[in-house]
Amino acid sequence: MRLLKSTLLAKSAALALALTIGGAHAETNLEFIQWWEPELPAGALRGIMDDFEAQNPGIKVTLISGPYANTRDQIVVGAASGTLSDVVGLDGAWVNDLAKQGAIADLNPLISASGFDVNEVAAVIKVGDGSYMFPVASFVYPVFMNLDLLKEAGVDTMPSNRTEFVDAARKLTSADKNQYGWVLPLSLESPNGIQNDVMSWVWASGDSMLKDGKPDVTNEAVVGTLEFIKSMYDEGLISPGTFAKKEQDKVEEFVNGRVGMMVDSLAHINLIRERNPDLNFGITAVPAVDGYTGKRGLPYASWGIGVSANSEHKEEAFKLVSYLMSKDVNAKLVSIANAFPGNVNAKPDFVTSDALFGKAFEIFQEGYLANEFVGLPVAEELMRQMDVEVQGMLEGNQSAAEAAAKTQAQWETAF
Amino acid sequence: MAFATAQSPGAIGRGMAYALLHRRKLAPYLYVAPSVSLFFLLMLYPMVAVFRYSLLDGAILKPSPKFVWFDNFLQIFSDPVFVQAIGHTLYFSIMSVIFHIIVGLSFALMLNSDRIARPLQSILRVLYILPWLFTAVIIAIIWRLILDPNGVINAILMALHIVDFKVEWFSSSRTAIHALTFVNIWAGYPLYMVTLLAGLQGIPRDLYEAASIDGAGPVRQLLHVTLPQLKPIIVSIALLDFIWTMQVFPLVWMTTGGGPIHATEMMSIYTYKAAFSRFQFSIASASAVVLFIISMSMTYFYIKHQKAVR
């Protein structure tokens, strides 16, 4: 009897051990929500995930993909209900709200525990002392120029300061021919024109709209930029319909040869070529204020990445983050996306194969990434509030200083 | 088993009759159960939830929001943009309904007229109903193109020397609300046209003959025969249209986004921006409740009117 009991005990212990070992090797399933997969060639992101799974046995990645707007809504709902996916694709504009809500994790402890080299990351998006997002791929916004229209107008050199830009816009504008120097989209539906087409002028001159992390919209640089835009608007150098114009309208007008210059994402180079293969265009950095010789801030939009605060597999989730930020994988991903890398050592292959991207990479390396809306609370709403005031200024209801002061007051409330 | 065998045949019969009676009493409830449960799940629960959110501080986002009663309502009514949004919504809805009736009735009368040949009537019927077939997104895209400063309308107006500059229809705070209302009228008149055409075809011809014998011309026939006969249909459809138009969102959002400045800010836009741009779900719920109350008051008139018609 005693022997039987001992045998049973030994068998139970062996079974428990086997279950424990089995448990240790059980698969961890990571959910990764993002909007990137539909924007990449079919199967590209899945292929990168398969490589990750092959290198990390025991971790499986389920991609939850959708268009940008749907993903944003899903993330808002997931954050509110505590069901956010383990790894989260982020837009910098969402980071502050999600971090304050406690929905995304501070990456600092994960960085320390894994020995990840933060110096390789182009920018770490912080809220307070916490690090919440790495940009995986960045799409910078240079000035696109219709070279044929410029030549026709007698402009031989790419404008590098505001005076040269206004001069070029003046020469390009001919209302009778339905041709304008510049295009400014300020639709309130998607107010990112404030970030890409208005504030980019401030950042290009090394200036800022913030001071110690707080709004500083009434400073000379911002007011001067608003006055500069207002002067071009009043002179009729900007194509009509500004207040209802969206980013796609801007690109359309450039493609059709109706405007000579626009500030736009590099992500649209292929689209422009597809829409008008004969269009002869070039790019240059956003002009700075006259006499500025320092480094230029380059506005950008990015595919950011972070980890859910509620994830039960934070360590594995950060493994995936580190993998996507590693030199070779990052270079591979951004090469497919036609974006600039989040890893400072990664070099995408399109830089050598395409002259225009090569030029863009030069601009990228000479300047620095600047988008001060990244990490701000309710960033989209801040843009919309400023948009309303800029529209009021352009309609002649208020001066640039008044528009800046009203924006400042509203932003202070939001902060 | 032992229990069954112990019962007398009479007792079994009574038991079965009782079960049958019970089942008959239960049957109606079972029939309505699916629709009632769907009503609770898909309509009543969300409505109650929105009402509750409107009384909370930081609904959805705060882990334990506090009851603030009517603070959110006080806040929105002290916001000049919300008050402006109510004004714009009422203008947009009232003008849309009035012109829907006028345009819809005019086209219905035209299609019902004997003076237009049958084949032409059929073609016109298809053409006039087209706007109804487009979704709001398509309508927004079409009219953004047509009313673009470089669009067809400006080209025509400039060719006819009616204007000598490019009118920025959606991009000027002076014209945006009127342009938007015009687009909504264009998108919504076919419903009236079809319904009123059916109504016109139901009016007895002898009424017109009698009016004609009494010396009534076409205008007096319209005023004293056609319109009184169509009145129940017009009132019903106008009330429903007013409720639907008050809630219009995609058309406004996709054409102007509530701008320029706040020139086309509607209650639906205000609610959306509060929820998904500022993440103020309690404020958005309060705004939605105000919209709901206005819609419900119109629904009350609609039901009252329907009862009077019966």
Side-chain angles (χ1 to χ4, degrees):
Chain A
M1 194 66 182
R2 190 171 286 173
L3 186 67
L4 184 68
K5 264 189 181 174
S6 309
T7 315
L8 272 174
L9 204 66
K11 279 184 179 173
S12 306
L15 185 67
L17 189 67
L19 282 173
T20 314
I21 293 165
H25 282 289
E27 268 186 3
T28 302
N29 198 350
L30 290 180
E31 272 189 10
F32 179 17
I33 185 167
Q34 36 60 48
W35 67 97
W36 316 344
E37 194 179 25
E39 297 189 10
L40 289 168
L45 189 61
R46 186 63 255 171
I48 292 173
M49 293 302 117
D50 291 343
D51 293 344
F52 171 75
E53 288 173 4
Q55 288 181 30
N56 295 276
I59 304 179
K60 291 276 171 207
V61 182
T62 306
L63 291 175
I64 299 180
S65 310
Y68 175 87
N70 287 7
T71 305
R72 175 181 172 269
D73 291 348
Q74 276 191 51
I75 288 173
V76 169
V77 172
S81 58
T83 55
L84 197 58
S85 300
D86 302 281
V87 183
V88 192
L90 293 168
D91 184 320
W94 312 337
V95 173
N96 189 294
D97 301 307
L98 292 173
K100 282 187 178 160
Q101 211 179 322
I104 49 174
D106 179 3
L107 300 177
N108 286 335
L110 298 166
I111 293 167
S112 311
S114 64
F116 179 79
D117 184 6
V118 184
N119 294 324
E120 285 201 1
V121 179
V124 179
I125 309 307
K126 294 183 174 238
V127 177
D129 294 331
S131 303
Y132 290 93
M133 184 190 110
F134 297 150
V136 176
S138 299
F139 301 90
V140 296
Y141 281 68
V143 172
F144 283 62
M145 322 199 82
N146 184 323
L147 299 177
D148 288 340
L149 287 186
L150 281 176
K151 198 177 166 191
E152 208 178 283
V155 182
D156 304 322
T157 51
M158 297 272 203
S160 67
N161 61 41
R162 289 186 187 176
T163 304
E164 287 174 10
F165 186 84
V166 173
D167 189 45
R170 215 171 268 144
K171 286 177 178 164
L172 284 164
T173 300
S174 170
D176 298 337
K177 284 162 64 185
N178 201 17
Q179 185 181 303
Y180 295 87
W182 190 43
V183 56
L184 175 63
L186 287 181
S187 163
L188 287 175
E189 186 210 335
S190 48
N192 59 3
I194 286 294
Q195 170 188 281
N196 303 330
D197 302 82
V198 175
M199 295 315 290
S200 53
W201 294 90
V202 175
W203 303 324
S205 306
D207 291 311
S208 172
M209 59 180 205
L210 301 173
K211 193 175 181 185
D212 304 325
K214 301 280 176 207
D216 184 26
V217 190
T218 48
N219 72 44
E220 222 171 89
V222 178
V223 174
T225 301
L226 295 183
E227 282 168 349
F228 159 72
I229 290 170
K230 165 98 171 130
S231 69
M232 291 223 290
Y233 186 83
D234 289 347
E235 218 181 307
L237 308 181
I238 300 174
S239 80
T242 285
F243 302 160
K245 208 162 272 174
K246 302 177 195 180
E247 191 167 73
Q248 60 264 38
D249 302 320
K250 171 176 80 175
V251 178
E252 205 60 44
E253 293 206 337
F254 184 78
V255 167
N256 292 337
R258 267 193 217 132
V259 293
M261 302 182 283
M262 69 165 176
V263 180
D264 193 30
S265 167
L266 278 183
H268 289 152
I269 285 185
N270 289 338
L271 175 83
I272 294 168
R273 283 175 175 161
E274 273 170 32
R275 298 298 298 268
N276 187 353
D278 300 329
L279 193 73
N280 179 19
F281 66 98
I283 54 169
T284 186
V286 177
V289 286
D290 297 13
Y292 179 75
T293 52
K295 273 195 155 193
R296 292 178 188 209
L298 286 167
Y300 74 101
S302 62
W303 290 355
I305 198 163
V307 172
S308 164
N310 284 329
S311 171
E312 290 174 5
H313 314 291
K314 286 198 186 70
E315 202 182 306
E316 291 84 352
F318 192 71
K319 261 189 191 174
L320 178 59
V321 173
S322 312
Y323 181 76
L324 290 172
M325 294 305 297
S326 64
K327 187 182 159 194
D328 295 337
V329 178
N330 195 244
K332 184 180 171 186
L333 178 62
V334 298
S335 295
I336 305 167
N338 284 334
F340 287 135
N343 183 310
V344 287
N345 298 320
K347 194 171 182 189
D349 57 16
F350 57 71
V351 168
T352 45
S353 62
D354 188 310
L356 212 51
F357 280 112
K359 168 74 180 164
F361 198 60
E362 248 174 56
I363 298 170
F364 173 68
Q365 284 181 318
E366 282 168 12
Y368 61 94
L369 290 179
N371 184 345
E372 292 186 303
F373 284 99
V374 168
L376 295 190
V378 287
E380 191 183 283
E381 181 62 14
L382 298 182
M383 289 179 216
R384 190 168 279 121
Q385 287 170 343
M386 187 172 202
D387 201 345
V388 168
E389 301 308 331
V390 171
Q391 288 187 0
M393 174 192 78
L394 296 178
E395 276 222 327
N397 303 338
Q398 57 193 3
S399 67
E402 285 166 341
K406 283 185 184 170
T407 306
Q408 173 80 13
Q410 292 176 70
W411 283 19
E412 278 172 2
T413 314
F415 270 65
Chain B
M1 202 65 187
F3 176 74
T5 51
Q7 276 188 323
S8 66
I12 292 169
R14 274 201 303 277
M16 281 176 70
Y18 183 74
L20 196 67
L21 189 71
H22 216 70
R23 205 181 293 165
R24 273 195 186 162
K25 272 188 179 172
L26 208 61
Y29 297 103
L30 290 175
Y31 282 127
V32 294
S35 58
V36 168
S37 37
L38 279 178
F39 171 76
F40 271 90
L41 199 70
L42 301 177
M43 292 187 73
L44 201 62
Y45 172 73
M47 275 197 282
V48 172
V50 169
F51 268 99
R52 192 174 152 266
Y53 289 160
S54 72
L55 304 174
L56 295 174
D57 171 31
I60 298 181
L61 292 184
K62 282 188 181 172
S64 46
K66 282 183 289 185
F67 260 99
V68 290
W69 298 108
F70 296 103
D71 279 8
N72 294 320
F73 291 91
L74 291 175
Q75 203 176 319
I76 58 169
F77 278 108
S78 61
D79 182 354
V81 177
F82 183 72
V83 177
Q84 226 177 326
I86 294 178
H88 292 151
T89 309
L90 288 175
Y91 170 83
F92 179 72
S93 305
I94 292 168
M95 294 303 280
S96 293
V97 170
I98 291 172
F99 280 93
H100 277 159
I101 294 172
I102 294 171
V103 178
L105 182 62
S106 307
F107 285 166
L109 286 168
M110 189 196 287
L111 294 177
N112 196 46
S113 167
D114 296 333
R115 294 178 188 182
I116 297 178
R118 284 270 166 202
L120 182 61
Q121 266 187 14
S122 305
I123 295 167
L124 289 177
R125 205 173 287 196
V126 173
L127 286 178
Y128 289 160
I129 214 165
L130 274 180
W132 208 18
L133 304 180
F134 299 128
T135 62
V137 177
I138 303 291
I139 291 168
I141 293 169
I142 291 172
W143 280 97
R144 270 173 55 81
L145 291 172
I146 294 175
L147 293 178
D148 187 87
N150 293 307
V152 180
I153 296 285
N154 273 348
I156 295 170
L157 292 177
M158 286 173 85
L160 296 174
H161 301 288
I162 294 171
V163 294
D164 57 357
F165 63 98
K166 286 175 183 167
V167 184
E168 299 175 83
W169 297 102
F170 286 132
S171 190
S172 160
S173 50
R174 282 179 292 277
T175 52
I177 185 87
H178 308 299
L180 199 57
T181 310
F182 175 82
V183 174
N184 193 55
I185 291 165
W186 179 86
Y189 79 80
L191 172 70
Y192 283 77
M193 187 188 77
V194 172
T195 316
L196 294 176
L197 185 59
L200 283 172
Q201 286 166 352
I203 299 175
R205 295 210 66 82
D206 47 5
L207 288 178
Y208 290 104
E209 283 163 15
S212 180
I213 291 164
D214 288 344
V219 177
R220 295 192 76 179
Q221 282 184 20
L222 174 74
L223 294 176
H224 298 289
V225 178
T226 310
L227 288 181
Q229 287 292 313
L230 290 178
K231 193 182 157 200
I233 301 175
I234 292 174
V235 173
S236 303
I237 201 166
L239 285 170
L240 284 177
D241 186 29
F242 187 81
I243 294 167
W244 294 333
T245 310
M246 292 251 310
Q247 297 161 6
V248 162
F249 173 77
L251 181 66
V252 186
W253 187 244
M254 291 205 62
T255 48
T256 63
I261 311 176
H262 294 295
T264 58
E265 185 93 27
M266 308 275 174
M267 290 170 79
S268 56
I269 299 287
Y270 185 92
T271 307
Y272 176 83
K273 287 202 285 199
F276 296 106
S277 181
R278 299 196 292 271
F279 303 116
Q280 295 174 331
F281 291 100
S282 292
I283 294 290
S285 302
S287 168
V289 167
V290 173
L291 188 57
F292 176 79
I293 289 168
I294 299 174
S295 301
M296 277 305 285
S297 60
M298 296 311 295
T299 311
Y300 167 76
F301 286 117
Y302 174 72
I303 293 168
K304 207 173 161 187
H305 172 259
Q306 287 299 96
K307 278 185 182 168
V309 169
R310 271 184 227 145

